[in-house]
């Protein structure tokens, strides 16, 4: 089934707390006593010490009171305004702290940039901005901020950042260029060594494997005691399908870092790829003896065996786990997957149905239904899902949606439509099913059907931001010009409910553009793109930039989207409508 546009999908912004953004780094300078922090989350922020005029004092008092009431957005805006007025880094820091407690990522980004501008030598705002950039997938900005932190004497952590970027399919070329520029002047120390490792990873990613090998050889001669060096060499050897070299590097890593679980796992994986199952089991058994009772480690080891196609060692690891009254869901899932792979349908169903409601419930039921469909038992799969709905009423809507998805996969879209119609006749106010049917109507070009179902949701629940935004965006994008005012009103209501949701910010920008106001659209789309650089937002932003005669910037956005996303239907559509916007 075709993917609905971003603006039509439920995208609640789930920005982690500040501590998560700074994971692995130094903590924010908060008060030591957690109890006092709960009473006043801003207690550890810098005190206000400068003289103020009446207006400034009133603004700060308002911000302080807002923070004490838990209105952190208003507190952050007040401190930010004051920091800009008085050029105070302490106030900007306070604004960032309030924005973090209020879960306000866009406001946090503005506050952190203000703080960095006022205190360019401070590592804390760079740490913050790097974390925010990672959250929105802006890896080049994340690396820039991380290098700024290193230059100020902070911890490096460049190679983990690059590893995450590569796992997210980031464009390696600009990251490589930035790191090479840094290395041209970097001093010879542990932080440089970390950057060298990261550069080698990027060289491999862009196909410069010889350069990466030479770099690692030089680093090995200068700093052979670095565990990360041998970890990188082992991983690169595995990626190059050279298990012997990977085994050799893992063994060297164990010499410099005895007992390091990462090297033991790499060694076991290398042995498996060489066909030495007994040697791999010896490694993993030794690891488990050192970490008795670690269910997560046991499951990780079982996945290792499964990834290499060895079912029995994985089964032996998992079976003791499911005998425990607190058996983890993943153990049942993996045992179900093993039985499924070996054609043991009944055993697989038994394991899948034991996955608890709290963990992996839908995934396990999906796998069970898929297994039955693969066995040419579609009717049994539907019966299974129907029985699960009767057993687990709280999951009714999700299980109906899952059945509709399976029917679509089998090319039975009409049966899926009939299923939704039948279940909505029984539960006419089920918002999830109404939304799903509305989206299916949109995909079929039935805008009236979409409006009917989304309108029913909004009528019963005027605060459903997802439905408000979806209907408003669709009216703006595909409706007549006479309904643009109605579209704006719907999207503005959604924005009032979820002011930082990037899908809604995108919709606001698109409404402005459709009203003939590209200049008014630009800040909304730029904000949306900063929070989440999705291909749809990129397409909208590029089109608006083009309309404002900012041609090179528009091409840059198109180039980024083409490089970042495997599928980019809205960019493709934009290139068809405006061929000149293609990158040169």
């Amino acid at each position: 089934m075709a993917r609905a546009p971003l603006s039509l999908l439920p995208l609640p912004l789930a920005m982690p707390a500040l501590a998560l953004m700074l994971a692995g780094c130094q903590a924010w300078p908060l008060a030591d006593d957690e109890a006092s922090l709960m009473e006043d989350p801003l207690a550890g922020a810098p005190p206000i010490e400068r003289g103020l005029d009446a207006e400034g004092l009133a603004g700060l008092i308002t911000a302080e009171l807002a923070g004490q009431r838990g209105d952190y957005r208003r507190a952050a805006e007040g401190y930010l305004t004051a920091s800009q007025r008085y050029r105070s880094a302490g106030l900007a820091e306070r604004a960032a702290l309030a924005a973090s407690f209020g879960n306000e990522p866009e406001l946090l980004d503005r506050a952190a940039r203000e703080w960095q501008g006022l205190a360019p030598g401070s590592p804390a705002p760079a740490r913050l901005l790097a974390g925010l950039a990672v959250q929105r997938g802006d890896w080049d900005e994340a690396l820039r901020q991380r290098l700024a932190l290193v230059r100020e004497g902070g911890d490096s952590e460049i190679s983990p950042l690059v590893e995450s970027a590569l796992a997210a399919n980031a464009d390696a070329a600009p990251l490589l260029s930035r790191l090479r520029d840094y290395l041209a002047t970097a001093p010879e120390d542990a932080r440089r060594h970390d950057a060298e490792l990261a550069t080698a990873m990027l060289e491999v990613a862009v196909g410069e494997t010889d350069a990466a090998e030479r770099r690692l050889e030089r680093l090995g001669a200068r700093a052979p005691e670095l565990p990360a060096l041998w970890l990188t060499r082992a991983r690169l050897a595995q990626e190059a399908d050279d298990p012997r070299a990977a085994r050799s590097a893992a063994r060297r890593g164990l010499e410099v870092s005895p007992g390091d679980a990462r090297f033991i796992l790499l060694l076991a994986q290398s042995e498996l790829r060489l066909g030495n199952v007994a040697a791999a089991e010896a490694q993993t058994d030794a690891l488990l003896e050192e970490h008795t009772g670690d269910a997560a480690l046991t499951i990780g080891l079982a996945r290792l065996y499964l990834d290499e196609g060895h079912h029995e060692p994985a089964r032996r690891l998992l079976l003791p786990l499911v005998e425990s009254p607190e058996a983890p869901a993943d153990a049942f899932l993996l045992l179900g997957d093993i039985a499924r792979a070996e054609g043991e349908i009944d055993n697989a169903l038994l394991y899948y149905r034991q996955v608890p409601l709290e963990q992996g419930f839908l995934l396990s039921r999906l796998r069970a239904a898929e297994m039955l469909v693969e066995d040419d038992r579609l009717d049994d799969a539907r019966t299974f899902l129907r029985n699960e709905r009767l057993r687990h009423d709280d999951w009714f809507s999700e299980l109906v949606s899952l059945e509709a998805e399976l029917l679509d996969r089998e090319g039975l879209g009409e049966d899926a439509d009939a299923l939704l119609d039948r279940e909505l006749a029984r539960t006419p106010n089920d918002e999830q099913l109404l939304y799903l049917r509305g989206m299916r109507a949109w995909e079929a070009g039935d805008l009236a059907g979409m409006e009917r179902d989304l309108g029913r949701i909004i009528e019963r629940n005027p605060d459903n931001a997802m439905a408000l935004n979806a209907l408003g965006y669709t009216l703006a994008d595909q409706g007549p010009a006479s309904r643009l005012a109605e579209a704006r009103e719907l999207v503005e209501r959604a924005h009032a409910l979820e002011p930082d949701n990037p899908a809604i910010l995108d919709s606001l920008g698109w409404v402005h553009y459709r009203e003939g106001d590209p200049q008014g659209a630009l800040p909304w789309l730029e904000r949306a793109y900063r929070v989440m650089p999705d291909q749809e937002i990129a397409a909208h932003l590029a089109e608006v930039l083009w309309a404002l005669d900012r041609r090179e910037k528009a091409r840059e956005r198109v180039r980024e989207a083409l490089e970042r996303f495997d599928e980019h239907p809205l960019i493709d559509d934009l290139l068809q409508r405006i061929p000149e916007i293609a990158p040169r």
Side-chain angles (χ1 to χ4, degrees), residues 250-367:
R251 285 173 174 169
R252 187 66 188 277
L254 279 174
E255 291 175 10
V256 300
S257 183
D260 190 319
R262 298 171 299 174
F263 290 114
I264 294 174
L265 288 173
L266 284 166
L267 190 55
Q269 188 173 24
S270 301
E271 297 288 10
L272 285 175
R273 292 188 177 180
L274 289 166
N276 302 328
V277 179
E281 287 192 274
Q283 294 290 339
T284 55
D285 287 348
L287 187 58
L288 286 173
E289 285 179 10
E290 294 180 13
H291 300 272
T292 305
D294 190 334
L297 176 61
T298 302
I299 289 171
L301 293 173
R303 290 187 192 278
L304 173 64
Y305 285 108
L306 289 176
D307 288 344
E308 300 301 325
H310 298 282
H311 292 171
E312 280 311 308
R315 197 197 308 266
R316 284 196 293 272
L317 287 171
L318 293 168
L319 284 173
L321 292 181
V322 298
E323 296 173 0
S324 165
E326 297 180 355
D330 281 346
F332 289 112
L333 275 171
L334 291 176
L335 284 167
D337 290 345
I338 293 170
R340 175 183 177 181
E342 296 183 349
E344 301 172 0
I345 306 298
D346 291 339
N347 278 344
L349 278 175
L350 177 65
Y351 286 125
Y352 286 141
R353 292 187 70 172
Q354 291 182 78
V355 173
L357 296 177
E358 299 79 12
Q359 309 171 51
F361 175 82
L362 274 183
L363 178 60
S364 63
R365 273 57 183 182
L366 172 61
R367 289 185 181 176

Side-chain angles (χ1 to χ4, degrees), residues 57-212:
L57 179 60
L60 283 173
I61 289 174
T62 299
E64 288 283 337
L65 291 174
Q68 291 177 19
R69 293 195 305 269
D71 186 354
Y72 299 121
R73 180 180 183 84
R74 189 173 183 185
E77 288 174 337
Y79 291 130
L80 184 57
T81 298
S83 73
Q84 292 165 343
R85 182 174 187 177
Y86 296 107
R87 311 304 300 159
S88 166
L91 288 172
E93 180 179 357
R94 205 167 176 86
L97 185 59
S100 73
F101 274 98
N103 214 10
E104 300 282 354
E106 194 271 337
L107 186 53
L108 178 56
D109 184 87
R110 285 196 286 128
R113 291 186 186 281
E114 179 73 13
W115 181 12
Q116 188 175 56
L118 294 169
S122 173
R127 217 178 272 124
L128 246 181
L129 289 167
L132 288 166
V134 168
Q135 291 288 332
R136 62 178 183 266
D138 189 348
W139 297 102
D140 189 49
E141 171 66 9
L143 180 58
R144 188 179 75 82
Q145 293 291 347
R146 177 56 61 184
L147 289 174
L149 180 60
V150 171
R151 290 187 182 98
E152 295 299 329
D155 294 335
S156 178
E157 298 184 353
I158 299 298
S159 55
L161 176 68
V162 166
E163 191 171 4
S164 298
L166 292 175
N169 297 317
D171 182 10
L175 304 180
L176 179 57
S177 176
R178 189 176 292 281
L179 268 178
R180 282 174 170 167
D181 289 345
Y182 165 75
L183 289 173
T185 58
E188 187 70 35
D189 58 15
R191 289 175 297 179
R192 180 192 175 92
H193 297 159
D194 183 49
E196 292 270 15
L197 288 171
T199 305
M201 294 179 197
L202 292 168
E203 286 170 337
V204 171
V206 300
E208 298 181 18
T209 52
D210 290 343

Side-chain angles (χ1 to χ4, degrees), residues 359-379:
Q359 309 171 51
F361 175 82
L362 274 183
L363 178 60
S364 63
R365 273 57 183 182
L366 172 61
R367 289 185 181 176
E370 286 175 333
M371 175 183 63
L372 291 169
V373 171
E374 289 168 1
D375 199 43
D376 294 326
R377 296 166 58 183
L378 176 61
D379 289 342

